[in-house]
Amino acid sequence: MKFVIKPIFLIIFVVVFSCKSGDKEKSARNGSTFSALDSLNGLDVIWIKYKFTKSGVEQYPDMIEQSLVDYLSAFPSNSSIDIESSLNRLIERTENEPVFFYFLKEKISSYLYHPNSPMRNDLYFEQVLQAYQNSDLLNDNDKKRDQLILELVQKNQVGEEAADFYFINREGQKKSMSSFIADRKLIIFYDPKCSHCNETLNEMKQSDILNKEIFEKKMILLAIDPIGNLKNWEEYNSKIPSNWIN
C-alpha cells in the first residue's frame, strides 16, 4: 500500500521582527525607505534599492534580516516562476560582495530549512538550493554539499509516496513503516526531552477525532523518537498510548 504525504497543520506561529528606522534605514537603503506594502508590487522591490555591501551587513544586519523575512513572506503570493527569477536576480546582485552573499544565504537556510523555524518550507528551500547551484561564487564543495541537502529536501514531499523506513518498537521488534496497513497513517517524530513535543502529544492524546479514527482502525499513529537515546525513550514509553505504535 502506498502512503502519500498529506499536509497536517497543527500549530501556526507568527513571528514579528522589530526593525529600526530613521537615518540608519536611509543609509542602508541608499537614501530610500521601505514599506512592507511595496512587496505587493513584486518580490524585487524589497531589494532593488539596497546597497549590497560588506559595511551594510556589518552595520545593519537586523534590518537586512527583516527585509529577508518580508521577502520570504511574500513567496506564497507569487508564482513559482516569479520566485525562481527573483532568486536568480538576487543571487546575481549579491555575488559582487561575498560577505553579503554568504550572510543572506545562511539566513535563508535558517528560515526555510531549520527544523525549529516557523517559516520552514521544503518546497521554497528547494528553489533556493537550485538557484544557488548556478552561482559562480560557490566552489565545488559548497555545491556538492547543497546538492546532498537538495536530495533530502526532495524526499517525502506533499502528494508523493513516502520513503519507507525501519524502527524498533516498544516490544523490541524491528518494523518498517510500510508494514502497517490502514486508510491513513499519521507519523509523529518527537524528542522525549522536548517540552513542546510533550505538550503536542498531550493535545493529540485528548483529541476525540484521532482517538475515534484509531479505535475504528481507520488510522495508524506511529510515534517515532529519532534522537536515539535508548534510556530516555524507554522511560517515555509509559506516556505513549498503548494503541499508538512507538
Side-chain angles (χ1 to χ4, degrees):
M1 176 179 179
K2 291 185 177 181
F3 174 41
V4 176
I5 301 292
K6 294 184 179 180
I8 297 179
F9 301 97
L10 298 177
I11 304 174
I12 299 176
F13 295 91
V14 176
V15 179
V16 179
F17 293 86
S18 62
C19 179
K20 295 182 180 180
S21 59
D23 294 338
K24 289 186 177 181
E25 184 171 11
K26 291 181 179 179
S27 298
R29 292 190 177 144
N30 198 19
S32 300
T33 58
F34 167 73
S35 169
L37 294 177
D38 288 341
S39 63
L40 297 176
N41 299 325
L43 289 166
D44 293 335
V45 174
I46 296 175
W47 302 110
I48 199 167
K49 296 178 181 178
Y50 258 93
K51 288 182 176 179
F52 296 104
T53 62
K54 178 180 177 181
S55 60
V57 174
E58 294 173 343
Q59 297 178 46
Y60 314 106
D62 292 342
M63 188 187 310
I64 297 170
E65 186 169 347
Q66 176 60 58
S67 292
L68 176 61
V69 171
D70 295 333
Y71 181 69
L72 299 177
S73 298
F75 276 17
S77 301
N78 289 267
S79 68
S80 177
I81 294 177
D82 289 340
I83 293 172
E84 179 183 355
S85 59
S86 178
L87 283 170
N88 288 332
R89 285 190 291 271
L90 176 61
I91 292 171
E92 183 179 355
R93 292 187 66 197
T94 57
E95 282 179 325
N96 293 325
E97 179 45 67
V99 172
F100 203 109
F101 176 91
Y102 284 106
F103 173 83
L104 208 61
K105 185 176 186 293
E106 179 184 352
K107 290 298 180 182
I108 292 176
S109 298
S110 177
Y111 279 106
L112 293 184
Y113 194 56
H114 193 283
N116 293 329
S117 171
M119 297 183 73
R120 172 162 181 163
N121 189 302
D122 286 357
L123 293 178
Y124 291 148
F125 192 55
E126 178 182 355
Q127 287 188 276
V128 169
L129 290 172
Q130 290 174 334
Y132 273 107
Q133 285 293 306
N134 299 321
S135 173
D136 294 331
L137 192 57
L138 293 179
N139 59 41
D140 290 341
N141 288 333
D142 289 334
K143 291 185 178 182
K144 287 179 181 178
R145 181 194 61 210
D146 284 355
Q147 183 61 39
L148 292 174
I149 297 175
L150 178 60
E151 292 173 3
L152 291 176
V153 168
Q154 291 174 331
K155 291 182 178 180
N156 297 327
Q157 293 191 351
V158 176
E160 296 184 355
E161 183 179 351
D164 199 11
F165 62 88
Y166 291 88
F167 63 94
I168 304 298
N169 65 13
R170 67 179 95 203
E171 287 78 28
Q173 302 169 325
K174 184 178 181 180
K175 296 290 184 178
S176 67
M177 181 270 291
S178 62
S179 65
F180 297 94
I181 307 300
D183 292 341
R184 288 177 291 278
K185 297 178 185 178
L186 178 59
I187 304 176
I188 303 298
F189 296 93
Y190 71 95
D191 177 358
K193 294 299 183 180
C194 168
S195 59
H196 297 296
C197 298
N198 192 48
E199 292 173 4
T200 300
L201 290 173
N202 285 335
E203 291 178 5
M204 293 176 64
K205 285 187 283 187
Q206 298 171 17
S207 169
D208 293 335
I209 296 176
L210 283 180
N211 288 326
K212 183 175 183 294
E213 291 282 298
I214 295 172
F215 177 77
E216 295 178 353
K217 301 187 183 305
K218 295 179 180 179
M219 174 185 288
I220 289 177
L221 196 153
L222 283 75
I224 306 297
D225 169 16
I227 305 303
N229 187 308
L230 184 59
K231 180 181 178 181
N232 292 340
W233 174 68
E234 290 177 339
E235 291 176 350
Y236 200 80
N237 265 330
S238 61
K239 298 182 180 181
I240 300 295
S242 58
N243 59 351
W244 292 16
I245 298 169
N246 180 48

